[in-house]
Amino acid sequence: MSLRVLRIELRRSVAPWAGAVVLSSALAFLYLVDAAWWRGSTAWTAQWTALALWTRGLLFYLWPIAVGLGALQGLRDQRSRMAELLTSTPRPARHRAAALAGATAITLASAFSLLVLVGGVQVIANAVYTHLGWLPISLVGALSLVAGAVLGMGAGRALPSVLTPPALAMGAFVFTVLMHTSLGRTETATTMGVTTTEPNQISLLSPAVEEVRHVLVTLSPAVHVGQTLWLLGMAATGFALLVAATPRTRLIALTPVLAGAALALLVLPSDPRRMYVVDEAAAELVCDGPVCVTRTHQARLAGLAGPGKEALRLLHGALGGQAPVSIRENTAVLPDGSMPQWSREAVLFDFDDEIIAAAEGEELTVALIAQGMVPGCFPVGWSGTGRDEFARTVAAGWVLGDLRPLPGTYPAGLRREVDAETRPVWTELKALPRSEQLSRINATRAAALSCEGDAFDVLSGGGP
C-alpha cells in the first residue's frame, strides 16, 4: 500500500474520525471523572504499569466503539453503490481491503498511543522506577482496537445493513460486560458471609482488564501471548470477510477467529494467581538499614527512613524482645475478600493505607507504631472504621505514653466517637501494674496479628 493510496483513504474514510473519537472520549473520561485512577500509588499517572492497565481498562467501552466504527467503514462501498463497479476492476480485492483496513488501523493505533503518551509524560515526572514491562500491556491494547475495527469492517461488508454498526457495537459492549461479570467471574470463597469472585480464563478474551488494585500487580507473559493469538485471529477473520465474495468464502473466513480463540484458551492461564501476578522486579526491596520499600517507591525511602527507625526504637523500648525489628513495604498481593497476613518480626505497611498516606515526619512515626501494634484485620479490598481502629489508637498511645488521635484518619464527629470509646480503656490500662499492662498489650497484639478475635475486646480486658 503506497503512501498516496493511504492519504486518499484517510481523506475519504471515517478512519480519522474513529481515532479522534477514541482519543477524545478516553481523555474526557479520565479527566472529567474523579475515580480510582486518580488516587494513591495506583493512579494512572503515578507508575508505568498502572498507566498501561488503566488505559487498557478503558477498552471496556472504547473497543465496542472501534467495532461499530469499523462496521460503518465496511458499509462505505454499499452506501455509495460502487460494489459492483469495484469488483469489475483489475485491482485485487485484497489490495482495496488492505488500504481500507490500514488507514483505520493506523489512526486507532495512533490514538491509543497518544493516550498512553499523555499519561506517560506525567509518569516520567512522578516515577523513579522505569521499566519496559508495561509495554506489552499497551501493545495488546492497541492491537485490540485494530482487530475490533477490522472485524467490524468485515462484518459490515458481509452484512450490508444500516443496523449492522449499532448492532455490532452493542454486541461488543455486551461481550465486554459479560466477560467482566457472570461469564468472566468465578465464585471462589465466602468471607464473613459475603461471596467473593475472581476472574476466570474466559475473562481474558476481553480486551479490557480488571481494575488496578495494587501497584505491584501486572499481567503475566502467558496472558499477553494468549490475547495476541486471539486478536490476530479476530483481525484475520475481519480481513478475510472484507475480501470474501461468496457465502462459502465468508463461512470459511470465520476459521481464523475460531482457531485464535482455541489457541488462546490453550495458552491463557486458568489460575487467577497466574493471570494477575506480582512484578518481581518492582517488588524488590530497597533498604536504609531496617527500613525497606519496593523499587517502585524507592523515591519515598528518604522520607520514611528517619521516622521508621524512630518507630522501631520506641517499639523496642515498650515491647522489649517482642518488638518488631524491621519496617518494610508489604509486597503480598492477596485475593479480594481474604484476610491479611501480618508478621511479628516486621512492621508491614502499604503507602495507600489511610494513616500512612496522611502522615509525614513525627506523625509518620506515630502511624508506623500504630501499624506495628494493631495492623488491622479488614478483608483485602474492604475499607471502613471499626474496633481495630480503637485498639490501634490505644496501643499506639501506650507506646508513646500519650493518647492522641492517629494522623489523618477521622473527621471531627468520628474523632469524638473514637475518643469516647478509647479514653475509658486507656484510663483503665494505665491504672494497671506495668507487668499487667505489658501482658494485655502482648495479648492484644497477638490477636491483631493473627486476625483471630477482637483486639479491642482483648485490650479492654474482656478477651482471653
Side-chain angles (χ1 to χ4, degrees):
M1 179 175 58
S2 68
L3 291 177
R4 178 174 175 273
V5 173
L6 179 59
R7 285 196 299 268
I8 292 172
E9 282 294 335
L10 288 174
R11 287 199 304 267
R12 66 195 291 261
S13 70
V14 299
W17 293 103
V21 168
V22 166
L23 179 60
S24 60
S25 61
L27 290 175
F29 197 78
L30 286 170
Y31 281 96
L32 298 181
V33 179
D34 182 18
W37 50 80
W38 284 112
R39 301 193 184 109
S41 62
T42 59
W44 80 292
T45 57
Q47 300 291 340
W48 289 105
T49 301
L51 164 66
L53 290 173
W54 279 121
T55 49
R56 275 287 297 275
L58 294 177
L59 294 179
F60 187 87
Y61 76 91
L62 292 180
W63 187 71
I65 291 175
V67 173
L69 290 173
L72 183 63
Q73 178 78 316
L75 293 178
R76 185 184 65 185
D77 294 346
Q78 184 69 24
R79 293 198 316 269
S80 59
R81 299 180 181 179
M82 293 178 57
E84 292 185 6
L85 175 61
L86 291 173
T87 56
S88 66
T89 62
R91 188 183 181 193
R94 64 180 180 275
H95 289 182
R96 296 194 302 272
L100 184 67
T104 302
I106 289 173
T107 55
L108 287 175
S110 299
F112 192 77
S113 299
L114 285 173
L115 174 64
V116 174
L117 180 62
V118 170
V121 170
Q122 298 172 80
V123 172
I124 290 174
N126 295 328
V128 173
Y129 174 57
T130 58
H131 60 102
L132 294 178
W134 62 274
L135 193 56
I137 303 174
S138 293
L139 290 176
V140 173
L143 179 59
S144 300
L145 290 174
V146 171
V150 174
L151 181 65
M153 289 179 204
R157 178 70 62 83
L159 302 170
S161 167
V162 293
L163 298 178
T164 299
L168 282 178
M170 183 56 66
F173 180 71
V174 170
F175 174 78
T176 58
V177 170
L178 291 177
M179 290 300 99
H180 288 266
T181 54
S182 56
L183 292 181
R185 308 290 297 186
T186 302
E187 293 185 358
T188 56
T190 301
T191 301
M192 300 177 66
V194 177
T195 300
T196 59
T197 64
E198 289 181 317
N200 59 30
Q201 190 181 36
I202 299 295
S203 70
L204 297 177
L205 296 179
S206 169
V209 297
E210 296 287 309
E211 182 177 325
V212 186
R213 298 188 181 277
H214 199 288
V215 70
L216 299 179
V217 169
T218 187
L219 291 172
S220 68
V223 173
H224 302 321
V225 174
Q227 291 181 334
T228 300
L229 291 172
W230 158 240
L231 294 169
L232 289 176
M234 185 187 299
T237 286
F239 189 81
L241 288 173
L242 274 175
V243 301
T246 65
R248 182 173 178 272
T249 54
R250 288 170 184 155
L251 189 61
I252 295 174
L254 299 177
T255 302
V257 72
L258 297 177
L263 290 174
L265 292 175
L266 290 175
V267 174
L268 292 171
S270 57
D271 184 351
R273 281 160 288 281
R274 292 176 54 233
M275 300 174 189
Y276 295 87
V277 298
V278 174
D279 184 341
E280 298 295 341
E284 181 182 343
L285 293 178
V286 179
C287 300
D288 182 344
V291 181
C292 301
V293 299
T294 62
R295 288 185 64 192
T296 300
H297 292 131
Q298 59 187 357
R300 306 179 71 168
L301 179 59
L304 181 73
K309 293 173 183 177
E310 176 65 10
L312 289 175
R313 185 188 69 80
L314 292 171
L315 286 168
H316 184 269
L319 299 174
Q322 298 293 318
V325 295
S326 66
I327 293 176
R328 56 186 174 87
E329 186 177 353
N330 193 359
T331 59
V333 179
L334 303 174
D336 278 1
S338 60
M339 297 304 293
Q341 299 174 2
W342 305 115
S343 168
R344 290 181 176 275
E345 290 74 28
V347 178
L348 301 179
F349 73 94
D350 191 320
F351 281 111
D352 287 331
D353 182 275
E354 291 183 0
I355 297 178
I356 302 296
E360 59 182 19
E362 183 180 346
E363 283 195 337
L364 184 54
T365 298
V366 176
L368 291 170
I369 290 173
Q371 182 69 13
M373 295 296 289
V374 182
C377 288
F378 277 107
V380 175
W382 293 27
S383 62
T385 303
R387 291 170 63 84
D388 278 352
E389 301 297 328
F390 303 154
R392 179 181 291 180
T393 301
V394 175
W398 181 82
V399 173
L400 297 166
D402 178 29
L403 184 66
R404 66 179 76 174
L406 298 180
T409 47
Y410 316 124
L414 186 56
R415 184 166 295 184
R416 288 193 294 270
E417 178 185 347
V418 171
D419 186 70
E421 291 286 344
T422 57
R423 184 68 60 179
V425 176
W426 162 261
T427 302
E428 179 187 347
L429 179 66
K430 294 298 289 183
L432 297 173
R434 176 67 184 182
S435 59
E436 194 168 337
Q437 291 182 35
L438 184 59
S439 175
R440 189 174 290 187
I441 286 291
N442 284 334
T444 299
R445 188 161 176 260
L449 291 172
S450 64
C451 290
E452 296 178 359
D454 188 321
F456 190 59
D457 192 39
V458 174
L459 189 60
S460 303

